[in-house]
Amino acid sequence: MEKKITIAIDGFSSTGKSTVAKRLAKELGYIYVDTGAMYRAVTLYMMRKVFVSKGNFDKEAIIRHLPFVSLKFEFNDDLGHGEIYLNEENVEKEIRYMEVSEQVSKVSAIPEVRKKLVEQQQEMGKNKGVVMDGRDIGTVVFPDAELKIFMTASTETRAQRRYDELKERGDEVEFDDVLKNVKDRDFMDSTRDDSPLIMADDAIEFDNSKLGLEEQFDKILKIAKDKITEVNS
Ligand code: DC
């Protein structure tokens, strides 16, 4: 039987990681794990408890309430990928709101939050055959992943993509606010003390600023298939 590998896809926000990762997992018959959704779901829980809001950030309360946060992914046959559940509630849509995006980098910088989620991610990927996207997958969660891709794209390209995505969903947002959020998160995600976003030494850097979805996917699929062949030879 063909040996499965672990594929880590890291990079800044809105680089299109999840679109590629989802499709790659489907094509290879692997499990897809959106780790950003996990940090977003924890953030949503803490926002509902009002431990996090504009001008308020109660780190102690967040840490104290972590044990009450239970996360899981359930496969949605119609969509062809998993959706995240926070304490049995499907929060896939709510976690993408701008209000959550504005708070998630702060919550995900808390070491206790990271520890809990990293453990769960390692458990989900322990049998390999997984495509996991995030910020620290190739550096912290699976430093031994056989394939690590680090996605990049210009800030403006990424903000435009996120803006189009939010608009398409009917959200009332301004481009400048989205651009600011992308920049703020880049800064916070890459300068935090615990597991900052950095490219692993053995990752392949993949700039998709000028690539269409199909072209991008074809290239990444080829990289993945070549790696699987190499591992199995
Ligand atoms: O991928 P995303 O934009 O949905 O992620 C939301 C936030 O979660 C991101 O700004 C930083 C954090 N995150 C993280 O710290 N580590 C990960 N592995 C994934 C996401």
Side-chain angles (χ1 to χ4, degrees):
M1 212 174 82
E2 189 178 78
K3 259 194 262 167
K4 293 190 170 192
I5 65 168
T6 301
I7 302 178
I9 303 189
D10 289 304
F12 290 104
S13 61
S14 305
T15 38
K17 299 184 298 292
S18 61
T19 309
V20 168
K22 237 178 247 167
R23 214 170 137 187
L24 188 61
K26 205 170 180 177
E27 184 76 26
L28 298 174
Y30 281 20
I31 293 165
Y32 164 62
V33 181
D34 174 357
T35 64
M38 298 171 76
Y39 288 95
R40 286 172 179 273
V42 172
T43 303
L44 177 64
Y45 179 90
M46 301 304 168
M47 287 173 75
R48 286 176 173 173
K49 291 276 178 206
V50 207
F51 300 147
V52 186
S53 60
K54 274 198 176 117
N56 176 40
F57 186 68
D58 190 343
K59 185 174 164 188
E60 303 312 316
I62 294 172
I63 295 169
R64 242 190 357 264
H65 281 74
L66 265 182
F68 306 113
V69 176
S70 164
L71 304 176
K72 68 172 177 193
F73 287 94
E74 248 176 50
F75 197 79
N76 179 321
D77 286 327
D78 296 334
L79 297 175
H81 58 81
E83 290 188 299
I84 192 150
Y85 283 72
L86 164 62
N87 296 337
E88 305 299 326
E89 174 194 353
N90 184 331
V91 290
E92 190 63 38
K93 185 151 182 258
E94 213 176 328
I95 57 166
R96 315 276 167 200
Y97 290 151
M98 270 291 279
E99 290 78 1
V100 177
S101 298
E102 281 166 6
Q103 304 297 338
V104 64
S105 287
K106 274 191 284 176
V107 174
S108 57
I110 301 174
E112 286 81 355
V113 171
R114 303 205 70 80
K115 184 171 182 291
K116 176 182 168 107
L117 299 194
V118 166
E119 277 170 13
Q120 194 174 347
Q121 289 152 13
Q122 287 172 334
E123 181 63 27
M124 287 190 278
K126 70 173 193 254
N127 296 326
K128 297 192 177 280
V130 69
V131 182
M132 199 171 276
D133 81 39
R135 302 293 189 285
D136 59 343
I137 312 306
T139 50
V140 175
V141 183
F142 291 115
D144 297 330
E146 290 84 351
L147 177 59
K148 300 178 186 177
I149 293 172
F150 192 85
M151 304 264 278
T152 60
S154 73
T155 316
E156 278 68 23
T157 305
R158 293 187 285 123
Q160 188 67 50
R161 284 180 189 154
R162 180 55 61 109
Y163 176 76
D164 292 345
E165 207 175 279
L166 291 168
K167 275 294 198 192
E168 201 179 297
R169 270 191 3 198
D171 289 8
E172 280 305 317
V173 284
E174 298 292 331
F175 177 76
D176 286 349
D177 291 337
V178 177
L179 180 63
K180 183 177 181 309
N181 177 252
V182 166
K183 285 183 179 165
D184 287 351
R185 283 203 290 144
D186 283 358
F187 179 75
M188 281 193 271
D189 294 347
S190 50
T191 55
R192 67 181 175 223
D193 291 335
D194 188 352
S195 326
L197 169 64
I198 41 166
M199 187 169 107
D201 292 340
D202 52 349
I204 298 169
E205 188 170 359
F206 193 91
D207 187 329
N208 64 18
S209 305
K210 297 196 167 67
L211 294 179
L213 274 183
E214 290 306 314
E215 204 183 344
Q216 186 187 154
F217 182 70
D218 290 348
K219 283 180 192 283
I220 291 187
L221 181 62
K222 178 166 184 331
I223 296 172
K225 284 191 168 166
D226 287 351
K227 179 55 81 176
I228 293 168
T229 307
E230 183 192 315
V231 167
N232 280 279
S233 62

